[in-house]
Amino acid sequence: MWRLPLPDGRRLVMKDFVYQALSSRVVFGAGTVGRVREESERLGLSRALVLCGPHHETPARDIMLRLGDRAVLLFSGAAMHTPVRVTEAALALARDLKVDGLVAIGGGSAIGLAKAIALRTDLPQLAIPTTYAGSEMTPILGETREGVKTTQRSPKVLPEAVIYDVNLTCTLPTALSAASGMNAIAHGAEALYAQDCNPVISLMAEQGIAALARALPLVVENGRDLAARSEALYGAWLCGTCLGAVGMALHHKLCHTLGGSFDLPHAEAHTIILPHALAYNASCAPEAMDRIARALGATDAAQGIYDLAKRLDAKLALRDIGMPRAGIERVANLAVTQPYWNPRPVEREAILQLLLRAWSGSRPEASGLARGSVSVEARR
Ligand code: NAD
């Protein structure tokens, strides 16, 4: 580790790092779904199973038409948090029909189902994301069995190819676009203070957050603004890459606990928790906070995220998305039992305060630690 003095009095810390590139092919643009047959041929698919959620059959049927004789069935049962019972139903069909590949169109739920089948079969996947969740760029699979969500990493679940088509995102309702975009920002934000962060991923994280912060207010104003949609999808790709490349921390742990145990909507839970998780970690990750604030054009990362969510008219309180007050203690207990690595130690009382503020929707505050009590160093 080297320390270089900066003109503003801080020290630049250059850490050793490991960078591992993940192998996936990305086709990005407007109208790129027109290349689905060509891309599936590239993957050697001749009997594809097409996967989507129940409210997203129209674009999935279009994919079926484009694939023609290369698709054998459309399965439209994908559900949030990848329930194992849904995976088993789709898997049985995949085996009966002897499918040789998976094409998932939709958000993280449809892509999660393809990943869960790929984990069990090693079938190749072509993902066509239509939200900003970023799952298509990660070797991570979260699954839910009897109300408990577990997450694992495996190279088998990373989709081999991804088609980003900006046109497909134009139908995403503005409230969901806002929440989904904030979900993507959360990946970039936590990547900046990850234990295994590295300079390449940090560049992508800062760019990704900046692109989303610029685009989302325009998307909320006009969901058919193609330039804004393109910028938002580009940011989502970058932030999804960050999620796939480095470890996540407290924020993702809290959101997984809330999603798995209380079935809260994924993107909305991320939107609400993020400012509070950043405030909690601020004093122990100053350089990451500077970069997040810079990407947002704000003076403070946590307050800037809260203000962005407010500007997007997103939900700001867990109580408004179905979280019972009585469940907060349980989430705090679960968060401290098997915590992810976090820049600041995960302390139950402070986490409880964080969750109570997120439950009521108040402004973020750093709980249980005096601001500036940790020495400030810049880190590359
Ligand atoms: P989602 O996939 O459940 O989609 C939300 C809703 O939006 C659905 O009703 C869907 O049909 C609809 N929708 C999606 N795209 C649309 C469009 N373009 N137009 C109109 N409607 C559209 O939600 P999500 O937030 O994308 O994904 C959440 C899931 O993904 C969770 O299960 C989460 O755990 C998982 N996830 C996993 C990873 C990972 O790396 N493993 C990363 C992010 C999210």
Side-chain angles (χ1 to χ4, degrees):
M1 191 190 280
W2 303 275
R3 287 190 166 77
L4 286 175
L6 293 178
D8 63 5
R10 291 181 307 159
R11 285 165 295 154
L12 179 69
V13 180
M14 181 71 194
K15 272 201 340 171
D16 295 353
F17 63 87
V18 173
Y19 171 69
Q20 169 80 54
L22 296 175
S23 166
S24 73
R25 176 180 164 86
V26 170
V27 176
F28 188 103
T32 43
V33 81
R35 289 163 65 175
V36 67
R37 191 174 164 99
E38 176 191 333
E39 288 300 319
S40 64
E41 275 173 19
R42 229 174 170 277
L43 283 178
L45 272 52
S46 60
R47 294 182 60 75
L49 175 62
V50 179
L51 303 159
C52 69
H55 309 298
H56 216 198
E57 281 193 21
T58 308
R61 292 207 178 283
D62 175 61
I63 297 290
M64 290 291 287
L65 283 176
R66 290 177 189 272
L67 286 173
D69 58 0
R70 289 188 173 260
V72 289
L73 185 77
L74 170 62
F75 179 89
S76 60
M80 188 84 80
H81 307 305
T82 327
V84 171
R85 62 181 163 73
V86 174
T87 301
E88 283 167 355
L91 190 59
L93 288 169
R95 289 199 167 123
D96 284 356
L97 294 166
K98 299 193 171 32
V99 308
D100 61 6
L102 306 162
V103 177
I105 172 159
S109 299
I111 291 166
L113 175 58
K115 290 167 121 180
I117 299 172
L119 178 75
R120 291 156 173 87
T121 58
D122 221 358
L123 287 170
Q125 304 168 70
L126 173 57
I128 309 174
T130 61
T131 70
Y132 305 132
S135 178
E136 64 283 353
M137 293 311 298
T138 82
I140 306 167
L141 171 65
E143 294 186 287
T144 311
R145 195 189 289 269
E146 286 155 20
V148 180
K149 187 164 180 176
T150 50
T151 302
Q152 60 183 299
R153 274 181 182 261
S154 163
K156 279 189 191 176
V157 307
L158 180 72
E160 280 73 7
V162 180
I163 295 180
Y164 285 104
D165 188 336
V166 177
N167 293 344
L168 291 176
T169 62
C170 289
T171 52
L172 190 64
T174 50
L176 198 48
S177 300
S180 192
M182 296 298 289
N183 180 195
I185 288 179
H187 309 327
E190 287 225 299
L192 282 164
Y193 54 64
Q195 187 177 27
D196 53 351
C197 65
N198 67 67
V200 175
I201 291 299
S202 295
L203 287 173
M204 290 179 132
E206 193 175 333
Q207 269 247 344
I209 297 170
L212 283 154
R214 269 193 305 270
L216 291 176
L218 301 172
V219 163
V220 166
E221 213 173 279
N222 172 13
R224 302 228 157 240
D225 178 339
L226 266 190
R229 284 286 188 189
S230 183
E231 178 93 331
L233 194 59
Y234 169 68
W237 167 47
L238 292 178
C239 289
T241 304
C242 297
L243 173 68
V246 296
M248 296 288 115
L250 174 69
H251 168 80
H252 280 75
K253 169 74 182 182
L254 290 175
C255 293
H256 282 159
T257 309
L258 289 163
S261 308
F262 293 93
D263 207 24
L264 299 189
H266 176 85
E268 286 81 352
H270 272 269
T271 309
I272 295 166
I273 292 291
L274 185 60
H276 303 281
L278 293 184
Y280 185 94
N281 283 334
S283 55
C284 296
E287 199 237 351
M289 297 302 152
D290 284 353
R291 293 184 81 160
I292 297 164
R294 190 164 65 200
L296 295 170
T299 50
D300 177 271
Q303 303 300 332
I305 290 286
Y306 187 84
D307 289 337
L308 177 62
K310 241 179 137 168
R311 188 172 166 203
L312 300 177
D313 210 15
K315 295 248 168 62
L316 298 170
L318 289 176
R319 68 176 168 202
D320 294 340
I321 60 164
M323 178 67 198
R325 166 63 187 84
I328 293 290
E329 275 78 7
R330 186 169 154 220
V331 179
N333 292 342
L334 287 168
V336 293
T337 22
Q338 283 181 320
Y340 295 1
W341 178 88
N342 193 58
R344 178 180 160 191
V346 179
E347 298 145 1
R348 188 187 177 278
E349 194 45 41
I351 295 296
L352 186 61
Q353 295 310 315
L354 177 168
L355 286 166
L356 287 170
R357 268 194 297 280
W359 186 79
S360 62
S362 15
R363 266 200 174 269
E365 266 176 46
S367 50
L369 194 70
R371 264 176 216 219
S373 65
V374 172
S375 69
V376 175
E377 285 187 338
R379 206 171 53 170
R380 178 174 289 151

